[in-house]
Amino acid sequence: MRRQNLWIAMFAAIATLGTTAANADFIDDSNVQLKFKNFYLDRQIKENPAANWGSWSQGITLDAKSGYQDIGAGIQVGADLLVQHAFKLNARDKNPDWILPHDGKESKDNFGKVGATLKAKVSQTELKVGELLPVSPVLVFDPSRQLLTTYSGAWLESKDVKDTKLTLAYIDGINNRYDNQFRELTKFAPPANYDTGAEADGMYIAGIDHQFTPEIGASYWYADVQDIYTQQYVGANYKTKLGEKAKLDSHVRYFDNSDSGDKLYGEVDNQALSVAAKINHGAHTVGVGYQQMFGDSAFPTLGGWVPQPYLANWGVATFTAPEEKSWHVSYGYDFSEVGLKGLNATAIYFKGYDQQGTGVYQSQNFNTDEVNAIVNYTVPEGKLKGLGVQGMYIDVNFANPAKPDLQEYRVATTYTYKF
């Protein structure tokens, strides 16, 4: 699927919204939301204040999802539309912040992106073509900044087999969180002496998720970013109650990453094993996790700062360097237990060690410490019901001369109006 086909799909989706307005299910089952997000981020580099970056912006998103229209033979069709726009309120223009587009001198005052998706469904099998927001072990969309990172392609998902989900997909573009158009797929942090503009023809994905019992589930996924890297994922999760008030949620996950085809970014040799668990008891949630990298390469991800939350330890410091080991411990508290409904807080401490250095530090190993403190509040009732505020503090110490220590502050205020 080439890019022009996706533009055709987008206009066809808009046309479908207009021409099927008389269909009751198409309209009655639709979901239209207007989302507002005020986002502030300030990253301070401890050893070099001139390198500090960040911005304050206001985002507005129209998220319209139609219902389905039956066109016969058991086939139902629909269309979704996602319009995103952000306005700069303030920014350190001399340094890119990877939130707002930057031309090397200053960030843009505003930017937006438009995406549409055609969808068709037969029984419990659904095909989406156009803009995609996947959540999978091998590819996820990113909501962590102002505007979403999204993808273009085709995504087929079937739940016709009991307790099983089958997925097939083809991705041919990415619209980064700081961009306003779909671009070809590349690899993040290319090695020296390789063409940083090398592009994949596309990404093929296949996955199967099966729930063996209400407590035990497992997954296998495969992805090939053509001529860059392949990725295999195997995961298992276990959830159960521990008495009347306590719950356990645990998982084991393994990634096997290798180079693909023409090796546009060189050899890729990485395996990642992670184990994590959370125990919730009333207002308290305690979590622990361990992660280890194997092989000669860092964990590969797509260009555009694409996250990998399926790793047990993922933060500003990604803990994905060759041979790096890491662990974390977390604690969360829900203040509704003491009468403050809608308020919760979480603290996470990450520790990485045996991180293999690069360049002149290749013969050395380094440790990394990261602290995350997160506070969330959602207005539970009244005229401002649903208004949310999140504050986040991040402190990272790399103990590596090639990586400066940093502190980061984020504040996000969100509100969704449902039509």
Side-chain angles (χ1 to χ4, degrees):
M1 177 186 304
R2 302 316 305 154
R3 193 59 39 79
Q4 58 266 30
N5 293 335
L6 292 176
W7 280 108
I8 293 172
M10 188 183 86
F11 288 118
I14 296 171
T16 302
L17 281 170
T19 58
T20 59
N23 184 276
D25 291 337
F26 190 91
I27 299 299
D28 292 345
D29 295 337
S30 65
N31 185 339
V32 181
Q33 299 179 341
L34 197 60
K35 302 177 180 180
F36 301 88
K37 182 176 182 178
N38 188 280
F39 185 66
Y40 171 83
L41 184 148
D42 180 31
R43 178 173 291 189
Q44 300 180 4
I45 310 302
K46 296 179 182 179
E47 293 85 1
N48 183 16
N52 292 355
W53 54 261
S55 64
W56 180 29
S57 58
Q58 175 65 51
I60 303 174
T61 298
L62 174 66
D63 186 359
K65 293 180 171 60
S66 78
Y68 282 93
Q69 177 184 357
D70 194 333
I71 61 173
I75 302 174
Q76 298 176 302
V77 297
D80 299 338
L81 181 66
L82 186 68
V83 181
Q84 305 180 71
H85 201 88
F87 302 88
K88 179 177 71 176
L89 302 177
N90 197 3
R92 288 190 175 94
D93 281 335
K94 64 179 180 178
N95 296 322
D97 64 2
W98 314 113
I99 300 169
L100 304 173
H102 199 281
D103 63 5
K105 296 181 179 180
E106 62 179 1
S107 55
K108 291 186 177 181
D109 290 335
N110 63 83
F111 78 113
K113 52 180 81 177
V114 179
T117 309
L118 288 177
K119 54 189 181 182
K121 184 167 68 171
V122 177
S123 186
Q124 295 299 308
T125 297
E126 183 178 49
L127 172 66
K128 293 184 176 181
V129 179
E131 185 174 50
L132 304 171
L133 283 77
V135 177
S136 77
V138 296
L139 191 69
V140 295
F141 78 96
D142 182 10
S144 66
R145 299 300 192 271
Q146 178 56 272
L147 301 187
L148 304 177
T149 293
T150 65
Y151 306 90
S152 62
W155 194 277
L156 178 69
E157 187 174 283
S158 176
K159 298 180 181 178
D160 282 308
V161 179
K162 184 180 180 182
D163 299 324
T164 301
K165 182 177 72 174
L166 302 173
T167 303
L168 293 173
Y170 173 74
I171 306 297
D172 84 331
I174 178 173
N175 196 332
N176 301 319
R177 62 196 188 195
Y178 53 86
D179 207 348
N180 64 351
Q181 60 183 299
F182 287 102
R183 301 184 186 275
E184 305 293 334
L185 303 180
T186 60
K187 181 177 177 293
F188 177 73
N193 303 321
Y194 280 90
D195 180 9
T196 57
E199 299 170 343
D201 287 336
M203 179 181 187
Y204 291 94
I205 296 173
I208 178 170
D209 302 282
H210 182 72
Q211 197 68 32
F212 292 96
T213 70
E215 295 82 19
I216 300 173
S219 303
Y220 171 78
W221 285 73
Y222 173 84
D224 182 2
V225 185
Q226 290 187 286
D227 295 322
I228 298 182
Y229 69 85
T230 64
Q231 185 170 83
Q232 297 188 73
Y233 166 87
V234 179
N237 58 79
Y238 176 69
K239 299 180 180 181
T240 189
K241 290 185 177 181
L242 302 174
E244 293 185 1
K245 294 185 178 181
K247 296 182 292 185
L248 170 69
D249 187 349
S250 61
H251 65 254
V252 178
R253 294 169 178 168
Y254 177 77
F255 288 89
D256 184 8
N257 306 298
S258 59
D259 42 71
S260 171
D262 293 338
K263 305 179 184 180
L264 296 178
Y265 289 80
E267 294 186 356
V268 176
D269 173 28
N270 171 272
Q271 299 80 45
L273 175 66
S274 62
V275 182
K278 282 187 177 181
I279 295 178
N280 171 260
H281 186 279
H284 307 273
T285 301
V286 177
V288 294
Y290 175 79
Q291 178 173 296
Q292 184 167 346
M293 298 289 143
F294 302 89
D296 298 327
S297 306
F299 190 97
T301 56
L302 294 178
W305 305 92
V306 175
Q308 182 39 273
Y310 280 75
L311 291 173
N313 299 331
W314 181 273
V316 169
T318 61
F319 305 99
T320 55
E323 303 297 333
E324 185 171 12
K325 307 174 184 67
S326 59
W327 55 266
H328 82 263
V329 60
S330 66
Y331 173 74
Y333 184 76
D334 186 343
F335 287 87
S336 61
E337 288 280 317
V338 293
L340 298 176
K341 188 177 180 181
L343 178 65
N344 64 78
T346 302
I348 311 172
Y349 174 72
F350 298 96
K351 178 70 174 182
Y353 55 100
D354 290 347
Q355 177 188 125
Q356 181 181 318
T358 58
V360 296
Y361 305 106
Q362 192 168 4
S363 61
Q364 302 179 45
N365 289 336
F366 298 96
N367 297 340
T368 301
D369 297 272
E370 178 174 339
V371 174
N372 291 183
I374 307 165
V375 178
N376 295 288
Y377 177 69
T378 302
V379 177
E381 55 190 1
K383 292 184 178 181
L384 295 178
K385 181 178 180 180
L387 177 68
V389 180
Q390 180 185 79
M392 180 182 295
Y393 169 74
I394 301 169
D395 189 302
V396 185
N397 293 287
F398 287 105
N400 181 342
K403 296 181 178 181
D405 298 341
L406 62 90
Q407 292 178 327
E408 188 169 299
Y409 304 86
R410 302 182 194 178
V411 179
T413 304
T414 58
Y415 180 75
T416 298
Y417 177 79
K418 298 180 180 180
F419 289 89

